[in-house]
mmCIF file of all heavy atoms in Angstrom:
data_model
loop_
_atom_site.group_PDB
_atom_site.id
_atom_site.type_symbol
_atom_site.label_atom_id
_atom_site.label_comp_id
_atom_site.label_asym_id
_atom_site.label_seq_id
_atom_site.Cartn_x
_atom_site.Cartn_y
_atom_site.Cartn_z
ATOM 1 N N GLY A 227 2.423 -24.690 -15.248
ATOM 2 C CA GLY A 227 1.177 -24.735 -15.772
ATOM 3 C C GLY A 227 0.705 -23.609 -16.683
ATOM 4 O O GLY A 227 -0.387 -23.288 -16.879
ATOM 5 N N HIS A 228 1.655 -23.067 -17.350
ATOM 6 C CA HIS A 228 1.337 -21.882 -18.202
ATOM 7 C C HIS A 228 0.975 -22.300 -19.647
ATOM 8 O O HIS A 228 0.665 -21.464 -20.458
ATOM 9 C CB HIS A 228 2.570 -20.888 -18.214
ATOM 10 C CG HIS A 228 2.696 -20.121 -16.984
ATOM 11 N ND1 HIS A 228 1.806 -19.082 -16.689
ATOM 12 C CD2 HIS A 228 3.464 -20.223 -16.008
ATOM 13 C CE1 HIS A 228 2.142 -18.586 -15.488
ATOM 14 N NE2 HIS A 228 3.194 -19.260 -14.984
ATOM 15 N N LEU A 229 1.110 -23.560 -19.916
ATOM 16 C CA LEU A 229 0.565 -24.040 -21.235
ATOM 17 C C LEU A 229 -0.274 -25.290 -21.131
ATOM 18 O O LEU A 229 -0.265 -26.146 -21.988
ATOM 19 C CB LEU A 229 1.592 -24.226 -22.251
ATOM 20 C CG LEU A 229 3.039 -24.753 -21.814
ATOM 21 C CD1 LEU A 229 3.054 -26.191 -21.763
ATOM 22 C CD2 LEU A 229 4.081 -24.279 -22.887
ATOM 23 N N VAL A 230 -1.055 -25.212 -20.109
ATOM 24 C CA VAL A 230 -1.931 -26.420 -19.801
ATOM 25 C C VAL A 230 -2.983 -26.615 -20.954
ATOM 26 O O VAL A 230 -3.201 -27.668 -21.502
ATOM 27 C CB VAL A 230 -2.607 -26.378 -18.505
ATOM 28 C CG1 VAL A 230 -1.670 -26.865 -17.389
ATOM 29 C CG2 VAL A 230 -3.206 -24.982 -18.255
ATOM 30 N N GLY A 231 -3.603 -25.515 -21.373
ATOM 31 C CA GLY A 231 -4.707 -25.540 -22.460
ATOM 32 C C GLY A 231 -4.080 -25.459 -23.826
ATOM 33 O O GLY A 231 -4.840 -25.690 -24.792
ATOM 34 N N SER A 232 -2.818 -25.357 -23.925
ATOM 35 C CA SER A 232 -2.261 -25.056 -25.269
ATOM 36 C C SER A 232 -1.568 -26.187 -25.864
ATOM 37 O O SER A 232 -1.429 -26.221 -27.163
ATOM 38 C CB SER A 232 -1.272 -23.857 -25.257
ATOM 39 O OG SER A 232 -1.921 -22.738 -24.694
ATOM 40 N N VAL A 233 -1.096 -27.092 -25.063
ATOM 41 C CA VAL A 233 -0.338 -28.198 -25.667
ATOM 42 C C VAL A 233 -0.980 -29.489 -25.286
ATOM 43 O O VAL A 233 -1.457 -29.567 -24.080
ATOM 44 C CB VAL A 233 1.201 -28.078 -24.979
ATOM 45 C CG1 VAL A 233 1.748 -29.407 -25.284
ATOM 46 C CG2 VAL A 233 1.830 -27.015 -25.654
ATOM 47 N N ALA A 234 -1.171 -30.312 -26.213
ATOM 48 C CA ALA A 234 -1.771 -31.641 -25.953
ATOM 49 C C ALA A 234 -0.932 -32.598 -25.364
ATOM 50 O O ALA A 234 -1.252 -33.121 -24.303
ATOM 51 C CB ALA A 234 -2.455 -32.202 -27.279
ATOM 52 N N ASP A 235 0.244 -32.879 -25.953
ATOM 53 C CA ASP A 235 1.176 -33.887 -25.408
ATOM 54 C C ASP A 235 2.455 -33.134 -25.102
ATOM 55 O O ASP A 235 3.258 -32.761 -25.979
ATOM 56 C CB ASP A 235 1.383 -34.910 -26.548
ATOM 57 C CG ASP A 235 2.236 -36.040 -26.187
ATOM 58 O OD1 ASP A 235 2.881 -35.831 -25.080
ATOM 59 O OD2 ASP A 235 2.217 -37.178 -26.726
ATOM 60 N N GLY A 236 2.740 -33.257 -23.757
ATOM 61 C CA GLY A 236 3.894 -32.386 -23.277
ATOM 62 C C GLY A 236 5.152 -33.073 -23.757
ATOM 63 O O GLY A 236 6.099 -32.258 -24.235
ATOM 64 N N ASP A 237 5.226 -34.254 -23.784
ATOM 65 C CA ASP A 237 6.473 -34.918 -24.224
ATOM 66 C C ASP A 237 6.819 -34.495 -25.744
ATOM 67 O O ASP A 237 7.968 -34.124 -26.049
ATOM 68 C CB ASP A 237 6.442 -36.446 -24.175
ATOM 69 C CG ASP A 237 6.409 -36.871 -22.690
ATOM 70 O OD1 ASP A 237 6.242 -36.080 -21.854
ATOM 71 O OD2 ASP A 237 6.542 -38.179 -22.422
ATOM 72 N N ARG A 238 5.869 -34.755 -26.607
ATOM 73 C CA ARG A 238 6.066 -34.521 -27.962
ATOM 74 C C ARG A 238 6.279 -32.957 -28.277
ATOM 75 O O ARG A 238 7.077 -32.558 -29.009
ATOM 76 C CB ARG A 238 4.848 -35.033 -28.780
ATOM 77 C CG ARG A 238 4.799 -36.472 -28.929
ATOM 78 C CD ARG A 238 3.915 -37.022 -29.831
ATOM 79 N NE ARG A 238 4.231 -36.531 -31.134
ATOM 80 C CZ ARG A 238 3.464 -35.613 -31.871
ATOM 81 N NH1 ARG A 238 2.389 -35.164 -31.211
ATOM 82 N NH2 ARG A 238 3.854 -35.311 -32.919
ATOM 83 N N TYR A 239 5.572 -32.191 -27.511
ATOM 84 C CA TYR A 239 5.755 -30.640 -27.680
ATOM 85 C C TYR A 239 7.231 -30.379 -27.379
ATOM 86 O O TYR A 239 7.810 -29.574 -28.045
ATOM 87 C CB TYR A 239 4.729 -29.910 -26.820
ATOM 88 C CG TYR A 239 5.100 -28.531 -26.783
ATOM 89 C CD1 TYR A 239 5.073 -27.502 -27.810
ATOM 90 C CD2 TYR A 239 5.741 -27.970 -25.604
ATOM 91 C CE1 TYR A 239 5.671 -26.257 -27.660
ATOM 92 C CE2 TYR A 239 6.215 -26.618 -25.453
ATOM 93 C CZ TYR A 239 6.064 -25.820 -26.572
ATOM 94 O OH TYR A 239 6.486 -24.494 -26.511
ATOM 95 N N PHE A 240 7.610 -30.821 -26.248
ATOM 96 C CA PHE A 240 9.064 -30.541 -25.797
ATOM 97 C C PHE A 240 9.963 -30.866 -26.818
ATOM 98 O O PHE A 240 10.966 -30.217 -27.207
ATOM 99 C CB PHE A 240 9.368 -31.108 -24.487
ATOM 100 C CG PHE A 240 10.660 -30.739 -23.969
ATOM 101 C CD1 PHE A 240 10.856 -29.539 -23.342
ATOM 102 C CD2 PHE A 240 11.813 -31.599 -24.106
ATOM 103 C CE1 PHE A 240 12.128 -29.204 -22.854
ATOM 104 C CE2 PHE A 240 12.929 -31.267 -23.535
ATOM 105 C CZ PHE A 240 13.128 -30.001 -22.899
ATOM 106 N N ASP A 241 9.796 -32.217 -27.309
ATOM 107 C CA ASP A 241 10.824 -32.656 -28.370
ATOM 108 C C ASP A 241 10.710 -31.697 -29.634
ATOM 109 O O ASP A 241 11.791 -31.365 -30.188
ATOM 110 C CB ASP A 241 10.470 -34.111 -28.685
ATOM 111 C CG ASP A 241 11.431 -35.038 -27.947
ATOM 112 O OD1 ASP A 241 11.846 -34.690 -26.952
ATOM 113 O OD2 ASP A 241 11.498 -36.168 -28.423
ATOM 114 N N ARG A 242 9.461 -31.472 -29.950
ATOM 115 C CA ARG A 242 9.370 -30.579 -31.183
ATOM 116 C C ARG A 242 9.982 -29.156 -30.909
ATOM 117 O O ARG A 242 10.742 -28.749 -31.742
ATOM 118 C CB ARG A 242 7.890 -30.389 -31.598
ATOM 119 C CG ARG A 242 7.283 -31.724 -32.098
ATOM 120 C CD ARG A 242 7.333 -31.768 -33.560
ATOM 121 N NE ARG A 242 6.493 -30.712 -34.272
ATOM 122 C CZ ARG A 242 5.343 -30.619 -34.482
ATOM 123 N NH1 ARG A 242 4.551 -31.718 -34.181
ATOM 124 N NH2 ARG A 242 4.766 -29.596 -35.035
ATOM 125 N N ALA A 243 9.719 -28.739 -29.786
ATOM 126 C CA ALA A 243 10.254 -27.283 -29.542
ATOM 127 C C ALA A 243 11.852 -27.309 -29.489
ATOM 128 O O ALA A 243 12.451 -26.376 -30.033
ATOM 129 C CB ALA A 243 9.554 -26.841 -28.227
ATOM 130 N N MET A 244 12.369 -28.309 -28.800
ATOM 131 C CA MET A 244 13.866 -28.305 -28.693
ATOM 132 C C MET A 244 14.436 -28.567 -29.990
ATOM 133 O O MET A 244 15.543 -27.955 -30.345
ATOM 134 C CB MET A 244 14.264 -29.370 -27.610
ATOM 135 C CG MET A 244 13.856 -29.000 -26.187
ATOM 136 S SD MET A 244 14.532 -27.464 -25.567
ATOM 137 C CE MET A 244 13.168 -26.340 -25.814
ATOM 138 N N THR A 245 13.924 -29.451 -30.845
ATOM 139 C CA THR A 245 14.417 -29.675 -32.206
ATOM 140 C C THR A 245 14.411 -28.422 -32.985
ATOM 141 O O THR A 245 15.327 -28.066 -33.704
ATOM 142 C CB THR A 245 13.573 -30.794 -32.784
ATOM 143 O OG1 THR A 245 13.550 -31.976 -32.006
ATOM 144 C CG2 THR A 245 14.236 -31.155 -34.252
ATOM 145 N N GLU A 246 13.191 -27.811 -32.878
ATOM 146 C CA GLU A 246 13.047 -26.535 -33.599
ATOM 147 C C GLU A 246 14.161 -25.545 -33.116
ATOM 148 O O GLU A 246 14.717 -24.741 -33.935
ATOM 149 C CB GLU A 246 11.646 -25.986 -33.365
ATOM 150 C CG GLU A 246 11.364 -24.628 -34.120
ATOM 151 C CD GLU A 246 11.300 -24.911 -35.597
ATOM 152 O OE1 GLU A 246 11.129 -26.040 -35.960
ATOM 153 O OE2 GLU A 246 11.411 -23.899 -36.285
#
Side-chain angles (χ1 to χ4, degrees):
Chain A
H228 286 285
L229 35 83
V230 280
S232 302
V233 167
D235 185 339
D237 291 12
R238 291 194 52 254
Y239 165 71
F240 184 77
D241 267 23
R242 292 268 298 272
M244 292 303 102
T245 305
E246 183 69 21

